[in-house]
Amino acid sequence: MNRPRILIVTRNMPPLVGGMERLNWHIADSLSHFADVRVVSPEGSSALQPERVAITEVPLRPLWRFLLGSGWTSLRIAHQWKPHIVLAGSGLTAPAVIMAARAANARACVYLHGLDAAVQHPVYRMLWHPAIRRMNTVIANSQATATLAQTLGVEAKRLQIVHPGVQMPDIPQSNSALHAFRELHKLGSARLLLSVGRLTERKGLREFVQNSLPAIVRSVPGILFVIVGDAPTDALLAGVQTRASIQAVADAAGVGSHLRFLGVITDQQQLACAYESASVHVFPVRELDGDPEGFGMVAIEAAAHGLPTVAFSTGGITEAVQTDKSGYLVKPHDYTRLTQAILQVLAGNPELWALKATDFAKQFAWPHLGKKIYTALYPSQQ
């Protein structure tokens, strides 16, 4: 029986590291259960391609070369393969998808992230926003992103919301694995606050260290703030907070010895150990014009490992964290309340938090993603 054919065009695929990269990999993998899937993505991504997915690589850098290469390659594949759907993994590849869909007489679709709809650069607004408006289907990663899409002129009838997913652990990490993780990173037996993600201005780690960490250390003197991630090298339009700048603020506040930078961790067992060794996942995302947090996948990943999140209630984070269930949401910029909420979790029952957080995360499990995406792409078949 002939299966549907779906062509995905994206700049975000492993081995690049980040939530969007994991998301696009799982979209391709999940859709391959329902359709024949091909992907146009950067050099190196075929080494980690999903089992049933064919990948065609194009250069990642510089950006103009990726845009030209992905556009030309998508056109060629669309003309020869005749996909029924051409899907942009983010707004960045929307123009290429529009052209490829036209060449194949296919439906053009995009999975939209918050930043895709918020960029104010005049060239992006002139070329990319019209392409997003012309999509047959726009899948937003949250209600917050869907609202932004409507401000661009996307009709509500062409909008669908599909939250990103998460890998639910089969079993917790063993005590020996957790002990080895602490030994490797010289964490001792300290209680841990954890941050996972790129060191960008939006993530707000420097401001958290300055405005909240000193009070937390006074209340819990032995606590460590563990940071997994580093300054981005391939993220677009993202201001950077360097390790040095975060450390300098911590030193000035007298809490420099309470910071640990672990760098990027790609090994899934090691990342699981980071989550399961910590007491609180801290997500102090700032509200910045033109740079919203579209969803907050890392909060769902933390919950999947039984780790509650304390976060500012901005953008799509309001859909990724549920107060009293998977952590606490705090009014943006209120560092006093953020500090109080973190201390409240630290003083609570960790086993109860773990049970509630894991239960919350189950609704986002990856196996549900493929069906949701497929339903959004083919609404008339449901």
Side-chain angles (χ1 to χ4, degrees):
M1 184 176 65
N2 291 330
R3 301 214 307 165
R5 295 186 294 275
I6 301 175
L7 175 63
I8 301 173
V9 188
T10 181
R11 189 175 182 266
N12 303 101
M13 283 286 281
L16 296 179
V17 177
M20 289 174 64
E21 285 72 19
R22 292 193 299 276
L23 172 64
N24 276 283
W25 191 96
H26 280 284
I27 287 176
D29 180 57
S30 299
L31 286 177
S32 70
H33 292 276
F34 306 96
D36 293 332
V37 177
R38 295 188 180 184
V39 178
V40 176
S41 56
E43 290 173 334
S45 53
S46 60
L48 299 173
Q49 69 190 55
E51 181 180 358
R52 295 170 298 274
V53 175
I55 286 183
T56 302
E57 296 182 350
V58 297
L60 173 65
R61 306 181 188 90
L63 178 59
W64 65 264
R65 194 175 178 195
F66 169 79
L67 293 175
L68 289 177
S70 60
W72 169 252
T73 302
S74 301
L75 272 174
R76 176 174 56 80
I77 293 175
H79 179 73
Q80 296 172 353
W81 191 50
K82 302 297 183 185
H84 305 105
I85 294 282
V86 186
L87 172 65
S90 72
L92 181 68
T93 53
V97 162
I98 287 290
M99 292 187 294
R102 181 181 298 173
N105 194 27
R107 287 171 51 82
C109 307
V110 61
Y111 192 97
L112 206 66
H113 307 263
L115 184 58
D116 295 329
V119 174
Q120 296 301 309
H121 192 283
V123 175
Y124 189 92
R125 294 180 64 182
M126 180 174 64
L127 298 179
W128 273 261
H129 284 181
I132 292 170
R133 284 194 291 269
R134 291 168 60 191
M135 293 287 171
N136 298 103
T137 299
V138 174
I139 304 173
N141 66 349
S142 67
Q143 180 58 59
T145 298
T147 300
L148 287 172
Q150 288 183 285
T151 67
L152 300 183
V154 177
E155 298 174 316
K157 66 181 181 181
R158 292 188 288 117
L159 268 170
Q160 303 279 343
I161 297 174
V162 178
H163 296 121
V166 69
Q167 182 67 45
M168 297 298 299
D170 294 325
I171 58 173
Q173 297 299 305
S174 66
N175 289 334
S176 60
L178 297 177
H179 177 74
F181 176 81
R182 284 179 172 270
E183 285 287 306
L184 176 64
H185 297 290
K186 298 179 175 58
L187 301 176
S189 59
R191 302 192 75 180
L192 308 180
L193 304 179
L194 179 68
S195 169
V196 178
R198 295 164 173 164
L199 307 187
T200 65
E201 291 286 349
R202 187 202 326 148
K203 300 303 183 182
L205 297 189
R206 191 166 56 212
E207 291 74 16
F208 168 76
V209 165
Q210 182 176 43
N211 297 310
S212 287
L213 189 58
I216 295 171
V217 169
R218 285 194 295 272
S219 294
V220 188
I223 202 160
L224 297 178
F225 182 32
V226 175
I227 299 172
V228 174
D230 217 328
T233 57
D234 294 303
L236 301 176
L237 302 172
V240 171
Q241 290 190 353
T242 64
R243 289 192 191 190
S245 69
I246 298 170
Q247 185 68 57
V249 166
D251 291 341
V255 293
S257 63
H258 294 265
L259 256 58
R260 296 290 187 276
F261 293 94
L262 307 192
V264 175
I265 296 179
T266 57
D267 183 271
Q268 291 305 301
Q269 183 184 27
Q270 286 294 297
L271 190 57
C273 286
Y275 284 124
E276 294 178 27
S277 297
S279 297
V280 185
H281 170 236
V282 180
F283 204 27
V285 173
R286 302 164 65 206
E287 284 192 330
L288 299 178
D289 290 339
D291 190 12
E293 187 73 30
F295 180 58
M297 288 176 62
V298 68
I300 302 299
E301 291 174 352
H305 290 276
L307 181 64
T309 292
V310 175
F312 288 131
S313 57
T314 180
I317 295 175
T318 58
E319 296 162 68
V321 178
Q322 185 175 338
T323 289
D324 290 325
K325 182 70 172 177
S326 68
Y328 290 112
L329 289 171
V330 176
K331 181 181 177 182
H333 312 299
D334 189 346
Y335 288 95
T336 298
R337 178 64 190 120
L338 187 77
T339 302
Q340 293 170 347
I342 291 169
L343 292 174
Q344 190 171 347
V345 174
L346 289 171
N349 184 326
E351 289 79 15
L352 179 58
W353 272 117
L355 286 172
K356 293 193 297 183
T358 303
D359 184 63
F360 174 76
K362 288 177 181 177
Q363 64 185 301
F364 298 97
W366 282 125
H368 302 311
L369 179 74
K371 183 62 176 177
K372 291 177 180 178
I373 293 283
Y374 189 80
T375 299
L377 294 177
Y378 292 95
S380 62
Q381 296 186 16
Q382 307 308 312

